[in-house]
Each structure stands twice: as C-alpha cells, then as structure tokens.
Amino acid sequence: MLVKEELNRYNRQMILPELGPAGQEKLKAAKILLIGAGGLGCPVLQYLAAAGVGTIGIVDDDVVELSNLHRQILYNHTDIGQPKVKMAAAKLQLLNPHVSFSAYHERFRADNAINICQDYDLVIDCSDNFTTRYLVNDTCVALGKTLIFGSILQFEGQVAVFNHQGSANYRDLYPAPPTENINCVEGGVIGILPGIIGLYMANEALKLITGIGEPLSGKLMTVNALNNTVMVFKIAAKKTAETAKPAPAKTDKAVQEIDSTTLDRWLETHADEVFLIDVREDYEHEENNIGGINLPLYGLTASLTAIPKHKKVVCYCQTGQRSKMAVQVLAGLYEGEVYSLKNGMA
C-alpha cells in the first residue's frame, strides 16, 4: 500500500494512464537484483530507486577507484577505496528512503549464484566480463528468471531481455566467449555511454515489472553514440525443450569439489560407484568430453530419474563454473553425494 508521501513522490509517473496507481504498487512490490555497481549499474540503480522499486539487491566485490568517476557518477572522490555496494546503498537510501537495499560485497560466483538470485523477481546484468555474464545467464535459465543484459565498449552499447517467457538467452546469441576479450580497461569507453545504455536497461525493467509496452524480449538493441545509429536485431531461441525450473532451496553448504587426480583414482578403483554428468550443452559434449552422460544444466531438474541413487555423482563442465551450479541445484533434490570437478575439463 502506498503511503501519502509516496503518492506525492511518484505523482508524475502515476498520472500516466499506462502506469497508474496499480503500476506503482507493482513497482513497490518488486524485487530486482543488479550484478555490478559500476558504469552500467550506477544509472540503473539511480533510476530504479527513484522510480520506487521496493527491494533492490546489489552484487559487487569492487571498490571505488579514481578512474571510475568519469562514468560512475553515483560516486565521488571521497568514496575512493570504499566498497561500491556500501556507497551505492547509502546514497540511494538518501535518494529514496522507501526502498529497501541489500548489499552483497562479494564476487558473483557459481557457489553463491543461486542463493543470491532465487528470491528476486528480475535480474539485471551490469557486469563487465564474460565469465560473469555467462554465469548470470546460466543461473537465470536454471531458476527461470528473466534477465536484462547490457554491455558497453568505446562508443557502442547493447541491451537485450533474455529468458523471458521462453525467449532466447545469452548463449543463444553468444554460444561461447570470444577468443579475445577487450573490455573498457583496454578499449576505453566514453563516459556518457553507460548512462545511455543504463537508462535503456532501467526502462526495460520498469516495463517488465508493470507489464506495459513492448520489452526487448528476443531482441538485441545496439546504440552507437558516435554516429547516433540505433539498430534492433531479432534473436532466435536455439533450445527446443522447455527449461525446467528447479525447486528453490536455500543452502549455505559449500559446494563439494574434487580435483582431476581424485576423480581418476575413484574411476580406477571404484568406477562402478561413480556417476559422471557433463552439464554442458549437447554440442559441447559431442565435441569433447571425459565420459559419463550429458545432462545440460538448463534441464537438469527434469532429468533426475536418469541419475542413479546411492552413487557418487560428479558433475563437470569446461571450467568448473556450471558444474558448481549443478551441484547447488541438485543439493536439495538428490539424496546421494554430489561433487563438482574443480576447474573443469580445462
């Protein structure tokens, strides 16, 4: 229920017939998680907080640096050396005391991804590296969460809405990371660009929460700030089977990992007691694998009957990231021991 001060605060957007009081109530009830409180995260956070999103989670393990300030204008020079999530939450609370903030001063990792994400309605990826982007995507697919994606480099930015009502996900657009990873540190970025792209991302969040307009679901929008071109491309969803949503189960247990030496020893001495699962996609398994069966992470919960009871289950992938997530998913669903192959096939 909106209080009198909120009615006055949000008056200018509530008079929009598309939004109205009902839309504002939806914003107040919404829970949104942001991964990254840097260039993209700052404008997204500022405008979602100002718009009245009721609960906002912020994940970032970084601290404010001088080189951030030309584009991350939520911070100032007195914040240098301080955790971004701490500074962001404090400043945003002053902006809107009616919003509740949860600050996660930690890196978004495979062993905490599901626990952090599962209580939020919507996830917004404002990260700046491919490892995190793929992990955020895979977590959202596993949990059935809609994901708003944004990226920036030099003068060009991208915005998309993934995994929304069966639409394409990030891996449908980019199946594998590029061989060369040029980021803002190496390639540079004009300071205004994250503001432009971040506002588009915030706008997508408001539309998705309130159910108005046409979101960028299954579409990729590119914006070039140097020549003022905006293009929108359609993205085809490559997966054919519906992704099963895992039963949310909070757990603080650390993911059990084994190294390749231990796995080799188990397979040599007690092979009949070990059950290997490759949680990568089928095309990855066909290209190269170390044995076992292929049960992709996206549909893992729908394949529980394929996993024999009373065996040591070892999940593996290319780097050990998706297999950690698989262990988290299986933790509350499988009675036996479940392990992740540390560092994966790599």
Side-chain angles (χ1 to χ4, degrees), residues 222-242:
T222 65
V223 179
N224 189 307
L226 197 59
N227 58 24
N228 294 316
T229 55
V230 178
M231 294 182 286
V232 178
F233 305 91
K234 290 184 178 180
I235 310 170
K238 297 176 183 177
K239 56 183 184 295
T240 55
E242 183 179 355

mmCIF file of all heavy atoms in Angstrom, residues 222-242:
data_model
loop_
_atom_site.group_PDB
_atom_site.id
_atom_site.type_symbol
_atom_site.label_atom_id
_atom_site.label_comp_id
_atom_site.label_asym_id
_atom_site.label_seq_id
_atom_site.Cartn_x
_atom_site.Cartn_y
_atom_site.Cartn_z
ATOM 1 N N THR A 222 21.322 -2.274 -30.402
ATOM 2 C CA THR A 222 22.657 -1.686 -30.346
ATOM 3 C C THR A 222 22.534 -0.173 -30.532
ATOM 4 O O THR A 222 21.744 0.304 -31.346
ATOM 5 C CB THR A 222 23.584 -2.262 -31.428
ATOM 6 O OG1 THR A 222 23.094 -1.893 -32.729
ATOM 7 C CG2 THR A 222 23.669 -3.772 -31.320
ATOM 8 N N VAL A 223 23.316 0.557 -29.764
ATOM 9 C CA VAL A 223 23.306 2.018 -29.831
ATOM 10 C C VAL A 223 24.735 2.499 -30.043
ATOM 11 O O VAL A 223 25.638 2.149 -29.279
ATOM 12 C CB VAL A 223 22.755 2.630 -28.521
ATOM 13 C CG1 VAL A 223 22.788 4.161 -28.600
ATOM 14 C CG2 VAL A 223 21.342 2.140 -28.241
ATOM 15 N N ASN A 224 24.943 3.286 -31.092
ATOM 16 C CA ASN A 224 26.259 3.859 -31.359
ATOM 17 C C ASN A 224 26.186 5.355 -31.062
ATOM 18 O O ASN A 224 25.502 6.101 -31.756
ATOM 19 C CB ASN A 224 26.672 3.621 -32.811
ATOM 20 C CG ASN A 224 28.123 4.014 -33.057
ATOM 21 O OD1 ASN A 224 28.541 5.128 -32.749
ATOM 22 N ND2 ASN A 224 28.912 3.098 -33.613
ATOM 23 N N ALA A 225 26.874 5.767 -30.009
ATOM 24 C CA ALA A 225 26.807 7.158 -29.581
ATOM 25 C C ALA A 225 27.636 8.081 -30.457
ATOM 26 O O ALA A 225 27.492 9.304 -30.384
ATOM 27 C CB ALA A 225 27.274 7.274 -28.126
ATOM 28 N N LEU A 226 28.514 7.505 -31.292
ATOM 29 C CA LEU A 226 29.378 8.322 -32.134
ATOM 30 C C LEU A 226 28.656 8.793 -33.390
ATOM 31 O O LEU A 226 28.830 9.927 -33.821
ATOM 32 C CB LEU A 226 30.642 7.538 -32.505
ATOM 33 C CG LEU A 226 31.820 8.358 -33.044
ATOM 34 C CD1 LEU A 226 32.267 9.408 -32.028
ATOM 35 C CD2 LEU A 226 32.986 7.438 -33.393
ATOM 36 N N ASN A 227 27.830 7.903 -33.966
ATOM 37 C CA ASN A 227 27.120 8.300 -35.191
ATOM 38 C C ASN A 227 25.600 8.285 -35.041
ATOM 39 O O ASN A 227 24.866 8.394 -36.012
ATOM 40 C CB ASN A 227 27.528 7.398 -36.368
ATOM 41 C CG ASN A 227 27.260 5.930 -36.081
ATOM 42 O OD1 ASN A 227 26.417 5.578 -35.263
ATOM 43 N ND2 ASN A 227 27.987 5.046 -36.772
ATOM 44 N N ASN A 228 25.127 8.106 -33.792
ATOM 45 C CA ASN A 228 23.695 8.167 -33.480
ATOM 46 C C ASN A 228 22.857 7.134 -34.227
ATOM 47 O O ASN A 228 21.723 7.410 -34.627
ATOM 48 C CB ASN A 228 23.138 9.572 -33.754
ATOM 49 C CG ASN A 228 23.706 10.610 -32.825
ATOM 50 O OD1 ASN A 228 23.820 10.377 -31.625
ATOM 51 N ND2 ASN A 228 24.091 11.757 -33.363
ATOM 52 N N THR A 229 23.381 5.939 -34.391
ATOM 53 C CA THR A 229 22.597 4.873 -35.015
ATOM 54 C C THR A 229 22.075 3.931 -33.938
ATOM 55 O O THR A 229 22.775 3.593 -32.990
ATOM 56 C CB THR A 229 23.435 4.067 -36.022
ATOM 57 O OG1 THR A 229 24.607 3.558 -35.370
ATOM 58 C CG2 THR A 229 23.848 4.931 -37.197
ATOM 59 N N VAL A 230 20.835 3.519 -34.110
ATOM 60 C CA VAL A 230 20.201 2.555 -33.218
ATOM 61 C C VAL A 230 19.630 1.441 -34.086
ATOM 62 O O VAL A 230 18.878 1.702 -35.030
ATOM 63 C CB VAL A 230 19.068 3.193 -32.387
ATOM 64 C CG1 VAL A 230 18.395 2.147 -31.506
ATOM 65 C CG2 VAL A 230 19.599 4.336 -31.539
ATOM 66 N N MET A 231 20.004 0.209 -33.783
ATOM 67 C CA MET A 231 19.504 -0.936 -34.556
ATOM 68 C C MET A 231 18.976 -1.998 -33.600
ATOM 69 O O MET A 231 19.488 -2.165 -32.490
ATOM 70 C CB MET A 231 20.610 -1.522 -35.438
ATOM 71 C CG MET A 231 21.069 -0.591 -36.544
ATOM 72 S SD MET A 231 22.339 -1.310 -37.625
ATOM 73 C CE MET A 231 23.759 -1.239 -36.541
ATOM 74 N N VAL A 232 17.959 -2.728 -34.046
ATOM 75 C CA VAL A 232 17.373 -3.799 -33.252
ATOM 76 C C VAL A 232 17.380 -5.079 -34.080
ATOM 77 O O VAL A 232 16.888 -5.090 -35.215
ATOM 78 C CB VAL A 232 15.931 -3.466 -32.810
ATOM 79 C CG1 VAL A 232 15.342 -4.626 -32.018
ATOM 80 C CG2 VAL A 232 15.913 -2.190 -31.976
ATOM 81 N N PHE A 233 17.944 -6.140 -33.518
ATOM 82 C CA PHE A 233 18.037 -7.422 -34.202
ATOM 83 C C PHE A 233 17.225 -8.468 -33.450
ATOM 84 O O PHE A 233 17.173 -8.462 -32.222
ATOM 85 C CB PHE A 233 19.495 -7.897 -34.269
ATOM 86 C CG PHE A 233 20.434 -6.908 -34.892
ATOM 87 C CD1 PHE A 233 21.101 -5.975 -34.107
ATOM 88 C CD2 PHE A 233 20.654 -6.895 -36.260
ATOM 89 C CE1 PHE A 233 21.976 -5.062 -34.656
ATOM 90 C CE2 PHE A 233 21.526 -5.986 -36.827
ATOM 91 C CZ PHE A 233 22.186 -5.057 -36.023
ATOM 92 N N LYS A 234 16.615 -9.383 -34.175
ATOM 93 C CA LYS A 234 15.901 -10.488 -33.549
ATOM 94 C C LYS A 234 16.884 -11.610 -33.216
ATOM 95 O O LYS A 234 17.816 -11.870 -33.963
ATOM 96 C CB LYS A 234 14.803 -11.019 -34.477
ATOM 97 C CG LYS A 234 13.632 -10.064 -34.653
ATOM 98 C CD LYS A 234 12.527 -10.695 -35.498
ATOM 99 C CE LYS A 234 11.347 -9.753 -35.627
ATOM 100 N NZ LYS A 234 10.253 -10.355 -36.444
ATOM 101 N N ILE A 235 16.653 -12.274 -32.082
ATOM 102 C CA ILE A 235 17.497 -13.387 -31.644
ATOM 103 C C ILE A 235 16.639 -14.638 -31.590
ATOM 104 O O ILE A 235 15.611 -14.665 -30.901
ATOM 105 C CB ILE A 235 18.099 -13.138 -30.249
ATOM 106 C CG1 ILE A 235 18.762 -11.763 -30.184
ATOM 107 C CG2 ILE A 235 19.104 -14.233 -29.897
ATOM 108 C CD1 ILE A 235 19.151 -11.358 -28.767
ATOM 109 N N ALA A 236 17.049 -15.666 -32.292
ATOM 110 C CA ALA A 236 16.294 -16.923 -32.286
ATOM 111 C C ALA A 236 16.705 -17.773 -31.093
ATOM 112 O O ALA A 236 17.889 -17.904 -30.787
ATOM 113 C CB ALA A 236 16.536 -17.693 -33.580
ATOM 114 N N ALA A 237 15.713 -18.328 -30.410
ATOM 115 C CA ALA A 237 15.996 -19.253 -29.300
ATOM 116 C C ALA A 237 16.348 -20.606 -29.878
ATOM 117 O O ALA A 237 15.567 -21.206 -30.621
ATOM 118 C CB ALA A 237 14.788 -19.360 -28.384
ATOM 119 N N LYS A 238 17.531 -21.131 -29.563
ATOM 120 C CA LYS A 238 18.005 -22.378 -30.157
ATOM 121 C C LYS A 238 17.568 -23.610 -29.390
ATOM 122 O O LYS A 238 17.573 -24.710 -29.914
ATOM 123 C CB LYS A 238 19.530 -22.354 -30.268
ATOM 124 C CG LYS A 238 20.031 -21.256 -31.191
ATOM 125 C CD LYS A 238 21.545 -21.179 -31.217
ATOM 126 C CE LYS A 238 22.006 -20.030 -32.088
ATOM 127 N NZ LYS A 238 23.483 -19.868 -32.083
ATOM 128 N N LYS A 239 17.217 -23.427 -28.099
ATOM 129 C CA LYS A 239 16.815 -24.600 -27.318
ATOM 130 C C LYS A 239 15.401 -25.002 -27.723
ATOM 131 O O LYS A 239 14.543 -24.173 -27.984
ATOM 132 C CB LYS A 239 16.876 -24.315 -25.821
ATOM 133 C CG LYS A 239 16.052 -23.128 -25.347
ATOM 134 C CD LYS A 239 16.266 -22.934 -23.868
ATOM 135 C CE LYS A 239 15.385 -21.814 -23.327
ATOM 136 N NZ LYS A 239 15.710 -20.509 -23.873
ATOM 137 N N THR A 240 15.149 -26.277 -27.768
ATOM 138 C CA THR A 240 13.860 -26.785 -28.211
ATOM 139 C C THR A 240 12.990 -27.255 -27.065
ATOM 140 O O THR A 240 11.782 -27.198 -27.121
ATOM 141 C CB THR A 240 14.049 -27.950 -29.189
ATOM 142 O OG1 THR A 240 14.866 -28.964 -28.561
ATOM 143 C CG2 THR A 240 14.752 -27.480 -30.447
ATOM 144 N N ALA A 241 13.619 -27.757 -26.014
ATOM 145 C CA ALA A 241 12.845 -28.250 -24.877
ATOM 146 C C ALA A 241 12.674 -27.152 -23.852
ATOM 147 O O ALA A 241 13.544 -26.321 -23.652
ATOM 148 C CB ALA A 241 13.565 -29.441 -24.223
ATOM 149 N N GLU A 242 11.517 -27.159 -23.201
ATOM 150 C CA GLU A 242 11.263 -26.158 -22.171
ATOM 151 C C GLU A 242 12.172 -26.410 -20.978
ATOM 152 O O GLU A 242 12.333 -27.529 -20.525
ATOM 153 C CB GLU A 242 9.800 -26.229 -21.727
ATOM 154 C CG GLU A 242 9.441 -25.175 -20.701
ATOM 155 C CD GLU A 242 7.993 -25.244 -20.291
ATOM 156 O OE1 GLU A 242 7.257 -26.043 -20.879
ATOM 157 O OE2 GLU A 242 7.599 -24.505 -19.373
#
